[in-house]
Amino acid sequence: MHFKLNKTQPAQKLSSPSNLINYQLRDFLTGRLWLRDHSPFMEETINKHVQMGYIQTIPGVQTIASTNKLFSKINYICNRCQNQNPEFFATFNCANCEQICVYCRHCINMGRVSNCSDLMKWSGPKRKLNLPNHSKSNHSHIFHWEGTFTPQQKKASEELIDSVKKNRYHLTHAVCGAGKTEILFPAIAECLKRNKRVCVATPRTDVVLELAPRIQKVFPNTFVQALYGGAIVENRFSPLIVATTHQLYRFIEAFDIVIVDEADAFPYTFDKTLQQAVNKAKKPDAPIFYVTATPSEDLIEKVKKLKGGYSFIPRRYHGHPLPIPRYDTLFNYQKQMAKGKIPKKLQDWTNLRLANNQPFLIFFPTIELMEKAVPLFQKYDPQIEAVHAEDPDRKEKVLALREKKVPGLLTTTILERGITIPMVQVAVVGAESGIFTSSALIQVGGRVGRSADCPTGDLVFYHHGITLEMDEARKEIIKLNKMEVLT
Ligand SMILES: [Zn+2]
Ligand SMILES: [Zn+2]
């Protein structure tokens, strides 16, 4: 773990209790739920604040009463990630308490939370939200954005501001390429103006890395903190945080508004603790703003029940329809690739792209299959590359495709959102695989035709049998294209 330490603050005079407060510590801990052993502050400083009652500590892992009355079994809860699944708890011989200690495996990569470890939370005098870090003078945020909105974007953006004012939930349903990030800017500005602390949470690290600098540019006078696994955590207060949903385990009643980006993407929808994390990180009466290209029925129902606002942008910012996927069979593609052969149809598709100098993406259901395929494709062009979620060079590779330094990429995941690759053509191999849910397929299709001067492109689902998910994706795209454009 890394910390960027600010200059130490001058010693506070001891004339009144509030002067005993280490403001840096207060600013850091405000809204956080932080492991005591992993803090960037001196133990002595922390102890003093605990004694004064300015820091509350709670055990990392607690036993809870069993709901099963027949068997008396000990159940645990992790107070950081809220995990209660017994499979994620393990014991170890603890050097700290010199006993057998229980720890949570679920959030272990944020530092081990166990029976005997404490989580800290600020319970002393509150900092005022409009104060800059460690100072008492007033501070104003600057909103600097020179882009323009389409009428639909403008409407959605105004609806969001309205929900900020009404402090209510909101669901923004925006198709891929609708320019959903920009729509958030005025709403975020409205929050900051009202001294509300905002968090933009997204399931994926690369989205944080892409979003944070864009948001920082728009709010140049505001400390925007990007939080993800391995990020440098600065020990000062940030009124605007861009974080992976996982990082919200480390917050408690911190935010006045949480914007959940890609609310229907993996792993947010599958991991209940991430949804709990969002609820824990926000203040009890704070609303959540969901943004997604593919809202589930559940999410729509939930926001409706909470009497939340709703915005819908069926059109891309350039006004052209979404590309409709076509189906093509690719029987026994796995067997053929195992034998070192690319199925004929896929060969032809690739060669056509190479001949026409059109950048392309080929999606694979698994890394194994993709890796088998790489050398086969490289026979056509040695510069074809492969990229997967954990590939450290994925950003560079996507950029190389955009700059036409590589002709095409094989990939297993949905690549960098926000990056528009003009003229890109997309094929999905094994579109029938379970990993390609209808929302994943819609997202994949969303890569095609993003740029205004080239709004179309080929989108083909190669399959070994058409699935319901494929049909659903196709139906949804056609439905969106038929929606009347609001002006
Ligand atoms: Zn945990
Ligand atoms: Zn212990």
Side-chain angles (χ1 to χ4, degrees):
M1 190 169 311
H2 317 274
F3 292 99
K4 190 165 169 186
L5 285 161
N6 294 327
K7 264 189 245 156
T8 36
Q9 295 297 298
Q12 307 288 337
K13 283 190 190 145
L14 303 175
S15 55
S16 75
S18 71
N19 277 344
L20 288 167
I21 293 175
N22 179 320
Y23 293 111
Q24 211 175 357
L25 176 61
R26 177 199 64 188
D27 288 357
F28 176 77
L29 276 185
T30 295
R32 278 197 157 102
L33 187 63
W34 202 264
L35 199 53
R36 188 170 178 163
D37 306 337
H38 273 67
S39 137
F41 296 91
M42 306 251 294
E43 214 185 311
E44 200 192 321
T45 313
I46 289 171
N47 289 342
K48 224 188 265 168
H49 285 75
V50 173
Q51 279 160 19
M52 289 187 295
Y54 292 169
I55 291 179
Q56 190 194 336
T57 61
I58 48 175
V61 172
Q62 251 179 319
T63 50
I64 46 171
S66 172
T67 44
N68 192 332
K69 292 209 170 87
L70 289 175
F71 308 97
S72 62
K73 202 174 147 252
I74 304 171
N75 284 333
Y76 298 103
I77 181 168
C78 169
N79 280 325
R80 183 168 59 188
C81 72
Q82 316 260 290
N83 164 48
Q84 294 188 32
N85 184 345
E87 283 174 32
F88 285 116
F89 290 103
T91 53
F92 71 115
N93 215 330
C94 179
N96 188 24
C97 64
E98 299 184 330
Q99 286 179 36
I100 300 293
C101 224
V102 177
Y103 73 99
C104 174
R105 290 196 298 122
H106 188 257
C107 61
I108 183 93
N109 48 17
M110 294 183 171
R112 185 167 60 201
V113 167
S114 69
N115 272 149
C116 71
S117 55
D118 282 336
L119 292 166
M120 302 187 286
K121 139 184 184 189
W122 185 257
S123 52
K126 287 191 177 119
R127 85 183 301 283
K128 285 204 178 99
L129 269 176
N130 58 343
L131 288 183
N133 284 282
H134 333 307
S135 140
K136 286 181 175 160
S137 64
N138 242 326
H139 172 71
S140 57
H141 300 282
I142 295 172
F143 176 39
H144 176 80
W145 183 65
E146 285 174 341
T148 48
F149 282 143
T150 62
Q152 287 178 58
Q153 283 178 314
K154 189 162 175 277
K155 182 168 181 285
S157 163
E158 280 163 4
E159 285 162 353
L160 271 171
I161 292 178
D162 194 40
S163 285
V164 171
K165 289 179 182 164
K166 291 181 176 146
N167 199 47
R168 65 173 185 195
Y169 277 65
H170 198 101
L171 168 62
T172 303
H173 177 189
V175 298
C176 298
K180 59 187 164 115
T181 307
E182 288 78 8
I183 297 163
L184 300 174
F185 293 161
I188 294 174
E190 185 67 30
C191 292
L192 294 174
K193 202 171 89 187
R194 291 168 179 256
N195 291 322
K196 287 178 184 277
R197 194 180 194 190
V198 190
C199 175
V200 182
T202 169
R204 290 157 43 204
T205 301
D206 51 2
V207 178
V208 173
L209 293 173
E210 183 233 315
L211 274 186
R214 280 170 76 190
I215 292 179
Q216 180 68 80
K217 225 171 125 192
V218 176
F219 300 101
N221 210 15
T222 307
F223 169 49
V224 178
Q225 167 93 80
L227 295 175
Y228 49 92
I232 292 171
V233 180
E234 297 197 36
N235 60 352
R236 55 189 177 127
F237 180 82
S238 167
L240 178 48
I241 285 175
V242 184
T244 55
T245 327
H246 280 96
Q247 292 298 320
L248 295 188
Y249 292 149
R250 287 169 150 167
F251 287 89
I252 186 161
E253 298 185 3
F255 303 105
D256 300 287
I257 281 186
V258 181
I259 299 170
V260 179
D261 185 28
E262 307 206 341
D264 276 295
F266 179 85
Y268 183 73
T269 37
F270 294 91
D271 189 344
K272 211 176 90 195
T273 68
L274 287 178
Q275 294 164 37
Q276 288 168 340
V278 171
N279 282 323
K280 174 170 72 79
K282 73 180 191 67
K283 289 179 184 165
D285 61 344
I288 302 174
F289 285 9
Y290 299 100
V291 184
T292 172
T294 50
S296 62
E297 286 299 318
D298 284 358
L299 188 61
I300 295 170
E301 272 310 302
K302 183 185 168 177
V303 176
K304 224 184 245 171
K305 233 186 215 164
L306 293 164
K307 298 194 165 56
Y310 176 74
S311 303
F312 177 47
I313 311 177
R315 275 283 149 121
R316 294 180 144 190
Y317 76 93
H318 54 47
H320 293 276
L322 296 160
I324 297 164
R326 62 183 181 89
Y327 299 160
D328 205 347
T329 51
L330 203 67
F331 294 125
N332 298 317
Y333 60 91
Q334 273 169 324
K335 272 188 201 157
Q336 293 199 50
M337 286 185 199
K339 281 188 206 152
K341 242 186 81 187
I342 301 177
K344 177 82 171 57
K345 279 182 193 167
L346 189 54
Q347 263 180 48
D348 293 346
W349 189 88
T350 310
N351 283 325
L352 189 64
R353 310 284 86 91
L354 289 169
N356 291 343
N357 200 17
Q358 293 169 322
F360 61 89
L361 290 168
I362 304 176
F363 287 83
F364 285 83
T366 62
I367 297 185
E368 297 78 60
L369 186 68
M370 180 179 79
E371 276 170 354
K372 256 182 227 156
V374 185
L376 308 177
F377 279 95
Q378 284 174 342
K379 280 182 200 157
Y380 304 118
D381 189 319
Q383 297 209 282
I384 294 175
E385 294 230 38
V387 61
H388 58 87
E390 270 92 56
D391 190 335
D393 300 326
R394 63 181 275 172
K395 260 207 139 134
E396 286 73 26
K397 286 179 181 172
V398 175
L399 215 61
L401 179 69
R402 193 186 179 191
E403 291 168 355
K404 295 202 162 180
K405 285 176 187 157
V406 302
L409 286 178
L410 314 187
T411 178
T412 53
T413 41
I414 296 146
L415 291 164
E416 258 73 19
R417 202 185 64 134
I419 290 193
T420 299
I421 301 159
M423 269 168 56
V424 76
Q425 316 287 308
V426 171
V428 178
V429 172
E432 79 286 351
S433 308
I435 192 147
F436 293 121
T437 58
S438 69
S439 63
L441 289 169
I442 291 172
Q443 294 271 359
V444 165
R447 308 302 99 186
V448 180
R450 291 174 83 91
S451 69
D453 41 335
C454 190
T456 56
D458 192 25
L459 172 61
V460 54
F461 292 170
Y462 285 120
H463 63 87
H464 187 93
I466 296 168
T467 61
L468 276 174
E469 298 285 326
M470 286 164 67
D471 271 345
E472 240 167 65
R474 197 163 181 276
K475 249 195 254 159
E476 178 68 17
I477 290 170
I478 292 170
K479 193 177 107 195
L480 287 168
N481 283 344
K482 277 191 188 149
M483 297 267 175
E484 204 173 315
V485 179
L486 305 159
T487 49

